[in-house]
Amino acid sequence: MSHNSFGHLFRFTSWGESHGPAIGCVVDGCPPRIALGENDIQPWLDRRRPGQSRFTTQRQEPDQVRILSGVFEGRTTGTPIALTIENVDQRSRDYGNIADRYRPGHADLAYEMKYGIRDPRGGGRSSARETAVRVAAGAVARLVLGPDVSLRGALVQIGPHAIDRARWDWDEVGRNPFFCPDPAIVPLWEDYLDMVRKSGSSAGAIIELQAEGVPAGLGAPIYAKLDADIAAALMGINAVKAVEIGDGFAAALSSGEQNADTMHMADGRIIFDANHAGGILGGISTGQPIVARFAVKPTSSILTPVRSVTRSGEDATVSTHGRHDPCVGIRAVPVGEAMLACVLADHLLRDRAQNPR
Amino acid sequence: MSHNSFGHLFRFTSWGESHGPAIGCVVDGCPPRIALGENDIQPWLDRRRPGQSRFTTQRQEPDQVRILSGVFEGRTTGTPIALTIENVDQRSRDYGNIADRYRPGHADLAYEMKYGIRDPRGGGRSSARETAVRVAAGAVARLVLGPDVSLRGALVQIGPHAIDRARWDWDEVGRNPFFCPDPAIVPLWEDYLDMVRKSGSSAGAIIELQAEGVPAGLGAPIYAKLDADIAAALMGINAVKAVEIGDGFAAALSSGEQNADTMHMADGRIIFDANHAGGILGGISTGQPIVARFAVKPTSSILTPVRSVTRSGEDATVSTHGRHDPCVGIRAVPVGEAMLACVLADHLLRDRAQNPR
Amino acid sequence: MSHNSFGHLFRFTSWGESHGPAIGCVVDGCPPRIALGENDIQPWLDRRRPGQSRFTTQRQEPDQVRILSGVFEGRTTGTPIALTIENVDQRSRDYGNIADRYRPGHADLAYEMKYGIRDPRGGGRSSARETAVRVAAGAVARLVLGPDVSLRGALVQIGPHAIDRARWDWDEVGRNPFFCPDPAIVPLWEDYLDMVRKSGSSAGAIIELQAEGVPAGLGAPIYAKLDADIAAALMGINAVKAVEIGDGFAAALSSGEQNADTMHMADGRIIFDANHAGGILGGISTGQPIVARFAVKPTSSILTPVRSVTRSGEDATVSTHGRHDPCVGIRAVPVGEAMLACVLADHLLRDRAQNPR
Amino acid sequence: MSHNSFGHLFRFTSWGESHGPAIGCVVDGCPPRIALGENDIQPWLDRRRPGQSRFTTQRQEPDQVRILSGVFEGRTTGTPIALTIENVDQRSRDYGNIADRYRPGHADLAYEMKYGIRDPRGGGRSSARETAVRVAAGAVARLVLGPDVSLRGALVQIGPHAIDRARWDWDEVGRNPFFCPDPAIVPLWEDYLDMVRKSGSSAGAIIELQAEGVPAGLGAPIYAKLDADIAAALMGINAVKAVEIGDGFAAALSSGEQNADTMHMADGRIIFDANHAGGILGGISTGQPIVARFAVKPTSSILTPVRSVTRSGEDATVSTHGRHDPCVGIRAVPVGEAMLACVLADHLLRDRAQNPR
């Protein structure tokens, strides 16, 4: 049991604070003889990297990953893979004024009530900066899953503005600063987020993940269900408040017949007529695409003053002048993908242990 | 790591199938010297017991719990508490016709693809019957949490029919067969479910849980967040497809100012002005009420024929004549409460280990 | 993490006290489709059963195992296997006089200091009776290992009387009440133990385990070493005070050349010239026989009065009139075998997860 | 579950190879607000550091530890503590000749059979160099245990030469290069090891650990026994082949009366008359000193040629010219202390979770 480890057989242990010298993780349990270099990880980090558009924080971090162990002559050895990322642009001065007060929506108060101590510089351990190591671990997980698994994510809603799913085009996701699959909504989102940012506010978002090619049989009853582990993985991302699989909340409104993913035979194979279940039944993958969505609340750090209290017990206001994402949900897309990749890689190994094929 | 254990320090391991001789669990890690008898568990099981109204399955199970270990002279000893519940009314003949085909929405196909074998009697291990042991374990968890924690649940929506939250009255929950806090909607739900049942269909539902009096400081960064563990616990209940904490998906639509749970001082204490976060910030409880909701899909076992395939690879239809809940979400209320109780008890012990107070 | 579970992927969770209604365990993670019935477990329990000679306790327990879940039509389903054994011959009256005082060498005082409460009937949870469920779980583990693994144990020393290893004959182990591989020493042990028993004393013992046919590659660096897990498994058996692998303590006396298990090629295969390492190098099995030994202290329950103190803090003497083994090490042979089988089955699954072959 | 993590609530995850850029570990679960700086760790590393006498390897490593996270303004924050130690003096050329053959007694063959790949430089992950991070983690564990726990170790035997326990003086341990508590045997050991080294051989050793001031109640039945966890911790150190607690193997030779740690009252407290049990009964600490011993085999890397085989399946000889410890058991003293400290710190937290005092 560890508070800072994720997964069981494919497992990573994360460390580091926003304003310390570095952040990193140790990936344990990776199968041996997988080709792995820093070049396999860096592109995923680059997707998450801040400062790439005016819609994300202007903190400049090269986020260069370094592999310190577990790889010999370009291949994994089965021993732990230590990954580190230096913190370069940590301007602690930005945060001096928040050390003495609790920012609403942040972990400040909760940490202090739990531990009696808190590193206030940039949110310390609670900074979204920690998600960089998740992306790095997720890059390794993708290699464990192999090329047959196609795992990708998209932003499907910012604030009240949802995409038109009829226009969904995966190729568009890489062509705009939002990971948006609907090109027609991009200008609207740009205008909306410009307005949000200029007014000193922030916006929430909804992300959708899909994994195709996942083998049937991953997951396990009763307390190792694949959907339960995905729910934990996504809910554990900073600022996430909701998770759904397949039809999710909408399933509650449908009838048994509507919700049934009926099947028929075709060419000797079982064909599903729908995928309301999001690729998981009884906690176990069915071979259909795995579909999950999660909601990210609006960034809690905003310029608009909100009322709060100080550590010494006085009323106060908090107005955050630091460099922040007006919509932290955008950069949550690669983070969500990484977490899903880690869950799937873990369950691939877990299934293999009990059910050699 | 175990596929059938839940929790870490307060932990239970579940076993049993719907149509075996019994089901049960082993509760490990319970603190010693807690007064515990079967009478402390039975009332919670009775709330979940089937056959108490025409809106739940007519299977008749007394669900009598028996304590086989871990208690001496009426108090826990700190050693494992074995709980068993006999299966009395298992009519395997009801299920003979489904052994050879995969019921849509059920785990039949997934189990068979994973294990290459499946106990088809009543869903075997995947039966909602397993949730009885969760309720039993949850009853012990409530004793670990102690009387200061008030943990309760309510059904807030059946199919498209949501309650009016303005009429919420906790006292009503025990006065109708739906655990419904809004008495005005009960007749509508009765009519609706009668119609659903008579038409051979089924309905989904949404459940809301609230836990008041939870101490601040439970949960832990980064991969042991209280909300992540609640999400896994609720998503792991049979037929659940979505989970949200606090404002959940609605948070994605709000602005940073709207979503901020601002604070002020009153009588030397920190007072929150709202609880959009559902009592959890940065994965750690704040002392505010913990609020979680989850969605249950419509029961997959329906009388209306749906198309499917047989184990031997032929098209077929499935029509379930067994005794089933038209809305399995009703009985999910005590199950959801139990899972939340187990998460909180586990995190109470986990926090205590690192942060003695 | 669980205080009463053993193993990770092949895992069992034990419950029950000496004088409760039953003891049992839940075996989780067992691969599916393995033929399993009570008849596969009972013979191993019969080997450990008390009352089979005058050299073990006269408590009469049929130790009939019952499978309550996880098996369908004679094969495992991959779901948890619940095993129970009723307690039949629990004479609590034998123990009334020890409830108020701490028996030296027993867990009485330690339990009470830890938990502030203790079930004194027959040692409660600390009774050697709990080892029956280990043997039951071990029987399942043997099936997971399969017929190519030959795992057996023998008693090699009672008190000061060691066997002559030159006379080792595995076939003799089943022909005497001591699991002794050296028939020539059996009369001496009989006389010695008769003397020990009549004088109200007790004797210690040393057990040796061997596992042949264990595939190379089980175990893992650095904190999942096969030898470390074997050490924990054996040290965790009641009354065990020492464990060694291969040459064990004797290795400390040898030189690097003497201790080297040199190798040569023969018929295209690597042949070891010796097995000082006991089949494990760097925490990983090499394919050579795994050899482990463990020492059991003399039974702490003796007729001879020893001084002690009461719960109320007064000097007292303790003289145990209950039915006890004069040499608890004898019945530790099947228990040690079972624990080794569980470790190996667990590591077989663990290795398979990371290293599919 | 992790192959490279140790402990449960106080837990560290280790990474790194002998000849990579660095080694390190992540300590998770450390309580907050403990004063911690690099100066609290460095002295323990210095005790283990090579090259301090002619009796240890001449590899020169400053072993400077660096804290990268988890500490704010000189105190732990409750978040993970990342510790790194650079590898400075890695001369890979020394090992070129062993990449193609399996060194007897080393993990070379086992790793290759398990993973199909191996980092041969200096033993890679299996190098005793990894034990530096154990010592670093152990230094943190000592702070968790606090000043009331006195934990120390000593070398009690080299090859056939055991100390005279009547001359035991803890103060002497720091005054000779062997951590030897018996000054009279030091000259003999010097001569013996000089002879061993010059003859191209190596020697084994036995280490004894004692921990005084450990509170009663640590450990837990049945599969979390303190002695079982100590056994695993010590057996998991490189080259260890045997572990015993208290009287250990000698207990097997004694009678029930001799082995009884009888008690009497004095000044209202329970006084033990002996400590054959080594401070642990029923897997739980009693408050008496915890005593454990472990045996280290002679260093497998020796100058004397021993026969072996190559990776391509040919007979060969191995003669190790690298810089090695003639008696690796010497530097195992601080490593054993560290592992014991980690076990005790882990169990302190585990006990506290279930049994708040």
Side-chain angles (χ1 to χ4, degrees):
Chain A
M1 199 193 82
S2 168
H3 301 152
N4 291 280
S5 296
F6 184 84
H8 290 87
L9 295 186
F10 181 88
R11 181 180 181 92
F12 70 95
T13 299
S14 153
W15 58 268
E17 283 90 31
S18 174
H19 286 55
I23 56 175
C25 69
V26 183
V27 178
D28 195 13
C30 184
R33 302 188 308 277
I34 293 179
L36 176 67
E38 284 145 5
N39 288 342
D40 296 301
I41 302 173
Q42 195 61 48
W44 303 105
L45 282 169
D46 291 346
R47 285 179 78 220
R48 180 208 155 275
R49 192 153 53 84
Q52 301 190 92
S53 81
R54 69 181 184 274
F55 306 111
T56 58
T57 172
Q58 295 308 299
R59 179 168 172 170
Q60 291 297 329
E61 285 290 354
D63 278 353
Q64 288 290 328
V65 69
R66 198 172 163 216
I67 299 175
L68 292 184
S69 67
V71 175
F72 179 63
E73 296 181 345
R75 291 188 299 161
T76 59
T77 59
T79 60
I81 303 164
L83 304 174
T84 57
I85 300 167
E86 274 189 63
N87 290 326
V88 172
D89 183 14
Q90 67 267 42
R91 302 190 203 159
S92 290
R93 64 182 178 282
D94 287 352
Y95 300 94
N97 60 328
I98 57 166
D100 73 330
R101 62 197 65 191
Y102 305 117
R103 295 167 299 164
H106 277 286
D108 300 352
L109 176 63
Y111 266 63
E112 201 147 312
M113 285 191 293
K114 183 177 185 71
Y115 298 118
I117 185 174
R118 165 172 71 98
D119 179 348
R121 299 165 303 164
R125 181 71 179 142
S126 283
S127 169
R129 179 143 186 74
E130 189 271 342
T131 61
V133 307
R134 303 180 186 223
V135 172
V140 182
R142 284 177 184 270
L143 298 175
V144 174
L145 291 172
D148 292 344
V149 175
S150 167
L151 193 166
R152 48 198 179 176
L155 203 64
V156 297
Q157 185 162 336
I158 292 185
H161 305 294
I163 64 162
D164 180 346
R165 299 181 71 90
R167 289 193 299 252
W168 192 299
D169 178 355
W170 278 112
D171 290 339
E172 290 294 330
V173 167
R175 296 185 186 132
N176 61 70
F178 303 113
F179 303 106
C180 177
D182 170 8
I185 207 172
V186 168
L188 191 156
W189 283 4
E190 289 177 334
D191 290 348
Y192 178 72
L193 274 191
D194 279 338
M195 180 272 289
V196 163
R197 190 162 43 87
K198 284 170 186 166
S199 66
S201 184
S202 61
I206 298 178
I207 292 96
E208 180 162 324
L209 304 173
Q210 293 194 21
E212 293 173 283
V214 175
L218 304 198
I222 296 289
Y223 302 116
K225 287 184 169 166
L226 186 58
D227 37 4
D229 281 0
I230 292 172
L234 300 180
M235 191 69 91
I237 298 172
N238 309 39
V240 173
K241 299 306 287 183
V243 179
E244 55 185 12
I245 308 288
D247 283 4
F249 275 103
L253 284 74
S254 69
S255 71
E257 309 90 271
Q258 291 165 335
N259 191 252
D261 291 329
T262 59
M263 294 165 265
H264 67 277
M265 299 300 300
D267 298 329
R269 296 180 55 240
I270 296 173
I271 305 297
F272 283 93
D273 303 311
N275 188 17
H276 299 291
I280 303 173
L281 287 173
I284 299 170
S285 64
T286 62
Q288 282 203 288
I290 289 174
V291 181
R293 266 177 307 283
F294 61 100
V296 178
K297 69 179 183 182
T299 313
S300 296
S301 295
I302 51 178
L303 193 60
T304 302
V306 286
R307 73 177 185 164
S308 182
V309 300
T310 65
R311 295 181 69 193
S312 49
E314 293 168 343
D315 288 335
T317 60
V318 172
S319 169
T320 311
H321 296 263
R323 301 153 300 166
H324 293 284
D325 295 271
C327 175
V328 76
I330 300 170
R331 290 167 60 213
V333 175
V335 179
E337 289 176 7
M339 294 309 286
L340 181 55
C342 288
V343 171
L344 294 175
D346 189 31
H347 274 284
L348 185 75
L349 303 194
R350 291 167 79 169
D351 177 59
R352 196 147 85 183
Q354 194 182 15
N355 298 289
R357 291 169 204 286
Chain B
M1 198 193 81
S2 169
H3 301 152
N4 291 279
S5 296
F6 185 84
H8 291 85
L9 294 185
F10 180 87
R11 181 179 182 91
F12 69 96
T13 299
S14 153
W15 57 268
E17 283 90 30
S18 174
H19 285 54
I23 55 175
C25 69
V26 183
V27 178
D28 195 14
C30 184
R33 302 189 308 279
I34 293 179
L36 176 68
E38 284 146 5
N39 288 341
D40 295 302
I41 302 172
Q42 196 60 49
W44 303 104
L45 282 170
D46 291 345
R47 287 180 75 220
R48 179 207 154 276
R49 192 154 52 85
Q52 301 190 93
S53 81
R54 68 180 185 275
F55 306 110
T56 58
T57 173
Q58 295 307 302
R59 179 170 173 170
Q60 291 296 330
E61 287 289 355
D63 279 355
Q64 287 290 328
V65 70
R66 196 169 164 220
I67 300 176
L68 293 184
S69 68
V71 175
F72 180 63
E73 297 182 345
R75 290 188 299 161
T76 60
T77 60
T79 60
I81 303 165
L83 304 174
T84 57
I85 299 168
E86 275 189 62
N87 290 327
V88 172
D89 184 14
Q90 67 267 40
R91 303 188 204 160
S92 291
R93 63 183 178 282
D94 288 352
Y95 300 94
N97 61 327
I98 57 167
D100 73 330
R101 62 196 65 190
Y102 305 117
R103 296 168 298 164
H106 276 287
D108 300 351
L109 176 63
Y111 266 63
E112 201 147 311
M113 286 192 292
K114 183 177 185 72
Y115 297 118
I117 186 173
R118 164 173 72 97
D119 179 348
R121 300 165 302 164
R125 181 73 179 141
S126 283
S127 169
R129 178 139 187 76
E130 190 271 342
T131 59
V133 307
R134 304 180 185 221
V135 172
V140 182
R142 284 178 184 270
L143 298 176
V144 173
L145 291 172
D148 291 345
V149 174
S150 166
L151 192 165
R152 47 197 179 177
L155 203 65
V156 298
Q157 185 163 336
I158 291 185
H161 305 292
I163 65 161
D164 179 348
R165 301 181 70 89
R167 290 194 296 252
W168 193 299
D169 179 356
W170 278 112
D171 290 338
E172 291 294 329
V173 166
R175 296 186 187 133
N176 61 69
F178 303 112
F179 305 106
C180 176
D182 170 8
I185 206 172
V186 168
L188 191 157
W189 282 4
E190 289 177 334
D191 292 347
Y192 179 72
L193 273 191
D194 280 337
M195 180 272 289
V196 162
R197 190 162 42 88
K198 285 170 185 163
S199 66
S201 183
S202 62
I206 299 178
I207 292 96
E208 180 162 323
L209 304 173
Q210 292 193 22
E212 293 173 284
V214 175
L218 304 198
I222 295 288
Y223 302 116
K225 286 183 171 169
L226 186 58
D227 37 3
D229 281 359
I230 292 172
L234 300 180
M235 191 68 91
I237 298 173
N238 308 39
V240 173
K241 299 306 286 183
V243 179
E244 55 185 12
I245 308 287
D247 284 4
F249 275 103
L253 283 73
S254 70
S255 71
E257 309 89 271
Q258 292 165 337
N259 190 252
D261 292 328
T262 58
M263 295 165 264
H264 66 277
M265 299 301 300
D267 299 327
R269 297 180 54 242
I270 297 173
I271 305 297
F272 283 93
D273 304 311
N275 188 16
H276 300 291
I280 303 172
L281 287 173
I284 299 171
S285 65
T286 62
Q288 282 202 287
I290 289 174
V291 181
R293 265 177 308 283
F294 61 101
V296 178
K297 69 178 182 183
T299 313
S300 296
S301 296
I302 51 177
L303 193 61
T304 301
V306 287
R307 72 176 185 165
S308 182
V309 300
T310 66
R311 295 181 68 193
S312 50
E314 294 168 343
D315 287 336
T317 60
V318 171
S319 169
T320 312
H321 295 262
R323 300 153 299 167
H324 293 286
D325 295 271
C327 176
V328 76
I330 300 170
R331 290 167 60 214
V333 174
V335 179
E337 290 176 6
M339 294 310 286
L340 181 55
C342 288
V343 171
L344 294 175
D346 188 33
H347 274 285
L348 185 75
L349 303 194
R350 291 167 79 170
D351 177 58
R352 196 147 85 183
Q354 193 181 17
N355 297 290
R357 291 171 202 285
Chain C
M1 198 193 84
S2 169
H3 301 153
N4 291 280
S5 296
F6 184 85
H8 291 85
L9 295 186
F10 180 87
R11 181 179 181 92
F12 70 95
T13 299
S14 153
W15 57 268
E17 282 90 31
S18 174
H19 286 55
I23 57 175
C25 69
V26 183
V27 178
D28 195 13
C30 184
R33 303 188 308 278
I34 293 179
L36 177 67
E38 284 146 5
N39 288 341
D40 295 303
I41 302 172
Q42 196 61 50
W44 303 104
L45 282 170
D46 292 345
R47 286 179 77 220
R48 180 207 154 275
R49 193 153 52 84
Q52 301 190 93
S53 82
R54 70 181 184 274
F55 306 110
T56 59
T57 172
Q58 295 308 300
R59 178 169 173 171
Q60 290 297 330
E61 286 289 355
D63 278 354
Q64 287 291 328
V65 70
R66 196 169 164 220
I67 299 175
L68 293 184
S69 68
V71 175
F72 179 63
E73 296 181 346
R75 290 188 300 160
T76 59
T77 60
T79 59
I81 302 164
L83 304 174
T84 57
I85 300 167
E86 274 189 62
N87 290 326
V88 172
D89 183 14
Q90 67 267 39
R91 302 191 204 159
S92 290
R93 65 184 177 281
D94 288 352
Y95 300 94
N97 62 328
I98 58 166
D100 73 330
R101 63 196 64 190
Y102 305 117
R103 295 168 299 165
H106 276 286
D108 300 351
L109 176 63
Y111 265 64
E112 200 147 313
M113 285 192 291
K114 182 177 186 72
Y115 297 118
I117 185 174
R118 165 173 71 98
D119 180 348
R121 301 166 301 163
R125 181 73 180 141
S126 283
S127 168
R129 178 140 187 75
E130 189 270 342
T131 59
V133 308
R134 304 179 186 222
V135 171
V140 182
R142 284 178 185 269
L143 297 176
V144 173
L145 291 171
D148 292 344
V149 174
S150 167
L151 193 164
R152 47 198 179 176
L155 203 64
V156 297
Q157 184 162 337
I158 291 185
H161 305 294
I163 64 161
D164 180 347
R165 299 181 69 90
R167 289 194 296 251
W168 192 299
D169 179 355
W170 278 111
D171 290 338
E172 290 295 330
V173 166
R175 297 188 185 129
N176 61 70
F178 302 112
F179 305 105
C180 176
D182 170 8
I185 206 172
V186 168
L188 191 155
W189 282 5
E190 289 177 334
D191 291 348
Y192 178 72
L193 273 191
D194 280 335
M195 180 271 289
V196 163
R197 190 163 41 88
K198 286 169 186 166
S199 67
S201 184
S202 61
I206 299 178
I207 291 96
E208 181 163 323
L209 303 172
Q210 294 193 22
E212 293 172 283
V214 175
L218 304 197
I222 296 290
Y223 301 117
K225 286 182 171 169
L226 186 58
D227 37 4
D229 281 359
I230 292 172
L234 300 180
M235 191 69 91
I237 298 172
N238 309 39
V240 173
K241 300 305 287 184
V243 179
E244 55 185 13
I245 307 289
D247 283 4
F249 275 103
L253 283 74
S254 69
S255 72
E257 309 90 271
Q258 291 165 335
N259 190 251
D261 292 329
T262 59
M263 294 165 265
H264 67 277
M265 298 301 300
D267 298 328
R269 297 180 56 240
I270 298 173
I271 305 296
F272 283 93
D273 303 311
N275 188 17
H276 300 291
I280 303 172
L281 287 173
I284 299 171
S285 64
T286 61
Q288 282 202 287
I290 288 174
V291 181
R293 266 177 308 284
F294 61 101
V296 178
K297 70 179 183 182
T299 314
S300 296
S301 294
I302 51 178
L303 193 61
T304 302
V306 286
R307 72 177 186 164
S308 183
V309 299
T310 66
R311 295 181 69 194
S312 50
E314 293 168 344
D315 287 336
T317 60
V318 171
S319 170
T320 310
H321 295 262
R323 299 154 299 166
H324 293 286
D325 295 272
C327 174
V328 76
I330 299 171
R331 289 168 60 213
V333 174
V335 178
E337 289 176 7
M339 295 309 286
L340 181 55
C342 289
V343 171
L344 293 175
D346 189 32
H347 274 285
L348 185 75
L349 303 194
R350 292 167 77 169
D351 177 58
R352 195 147 85 183
Q354 193 181 16
N355 297 290
R357 290 171 203 285
Chain D
M1 199 193 80
S2 168
H3 301 151
N4 291 279
S5 296
F6 184 85
H8 291 86
L9 295 185
F10 181 87
R11 181 180 182 92
F12 70 96
T13 299
S14 153
W15 58 269
E17 282 89 31
S18 174
H19 285 54
I23 56 174
C25 68
V26 183
V27 178
D28 195 13
C30 184
R33 301 187 309 278
I34 293 179
L36 176 68
E38 284 146 4
N39 289 341
D40 295 301
I41 301 172
Q42 197 60 49
W44 303 104
L45 281 170
D46 291 346
R47 287 180 77 221
R48 179 206 155 276
R49 193 153 52 84
Q52 301 190 94
S53 82
R54 69 180 184 275
F55 306 110
T56 59
T57 173
Q58 295 307 300
R59 179 170 172 170
Q60 291 296 329
E61 286 289 355
D63 278 353
Q64 287 291 328
V65 70
R66 196 171 164 218
I67 299 175
L68 293 184
S69 67
V71 175
F72 179 63
E73 296 181 345
R75 290 188 299 161
T76 59
T77 60
T79 60
I81 303 164
L83 304 174
T84 57
I85 300 168
E86 275 188 60
N87 290 326
V88 172
D89 183 14
Q90 68 267 41
R91 301 189 205 163
S92 291
R93 65 182 177 282
D94 288 351
Y95 299 95
N97 60 329
I98 58 165
D100 72 332
R101 61 196 66 190
Y102 305 116
R103 297 168 298 164
H106 276 286
D108 300 352
L109 176 63
Y111 266 63
E112 202 147 310
M113 286 192 292
K114 183 178 185 72
Y115 298 118
I117 185 173
R118 165 172 71 97
D119 180 347
R121 300 165 302 165
R125 181 72 180 142
S126 283
S127 169
R129 180 143 186 74
E130 189 271 343
T131 60
V133 306
R134 304 180 185 221
V135 171
V140 182
R142 285 178 184 270
L143 297 175
V144 174
L145 291 172
D148 292 343
V149 174
S150 166
L151 192 165
R152 48 198 179 176
L155 203 64
V156 297
Q157 185 162 336
I158 292 185
H161 305 293
I163 65 162
D164 180 347
R165 300 181 70 90
R167 289 194 297 251
W168 192 299
D169 178 354
W170 278 110
D171 290 339
E172 290 294 329
V173 166
R175 295 186 187 131
N176 61 70
F178 302 113
F179 305 106
C180 177
D182 169 9
I185 206 171
V186 168
L188 191 156
W189 283 4
E190 289 177 334
D191 291 348
Y192 177 72
L193 274 190
D194 280 337
M195 181 271 289
V196 162
R197 189 162 43 88
K198 285 169 185 165
S199 66
S201 184
S202 62
I206 298 177
I207 292 97
E208 180 162 323
L209 304 172
Q210 293 193 22
E212 294 172 284
V214 175
L218 304 197
I222 295 288
Y223 302 115
K225 286 182 171 169
L226 186 58
D227 37 4
D229 281 359
I230 292 171
L234 300 180
M235 191 68 91
I237 298 171
N238 309 40
V240 172
K241 300 304 289 182
V243 179
E244 56 185 13
I245 307 289
D247 283 4
F249 275 103
L253 284 72
S254 69
S255 71
E257 309 89 273
Q258 291 164 338
N259 191 252
D261 291 329
T262 59
M263 295 164 265
H264 66 277
M265 299 300 301
D267 299 328
R269 296 181 56 240
I270 297 173
I271 304 298
F272 283 93
D273 303 310
N275 188 17
H276 299 291
I280 303 173
L281 287 173
I284 299 170
S285 65
T286 62
Q288 281 202 288
I290 288 174
V291 180
R293 266 177 308 283
F294 60 102
V296 178
K297 70 179 181 182
T299 313
S300 296
S301 296
I302 52 177
L303 193 60
T304 302
V306 286
R307 72 175 185 166
S308 183
V309 299
T310 66
R311 294 181 68 192
S312 50
E314 294 167 342
D315 287 336
T317 61
V318 171
S319 170
T320 312
H321 296 262
R323 302 153 298 165
H324 293 285
D325 295 271
C327 177
V328 76
I330 299 170
R331 290 167 60 213
V333 174
V335 179
E337 290 176 6
M339 294 309 287
L340 181 55
C342 288
V343 171
L344 294 175
D346 188 32
H347 274 284
L348 184 75
L349 303 194
R350 291 167 78 170
D351 178 59
R352 196 147 84 184
Q354 193 181 16
N355 297 290
R357 292 168 202 287

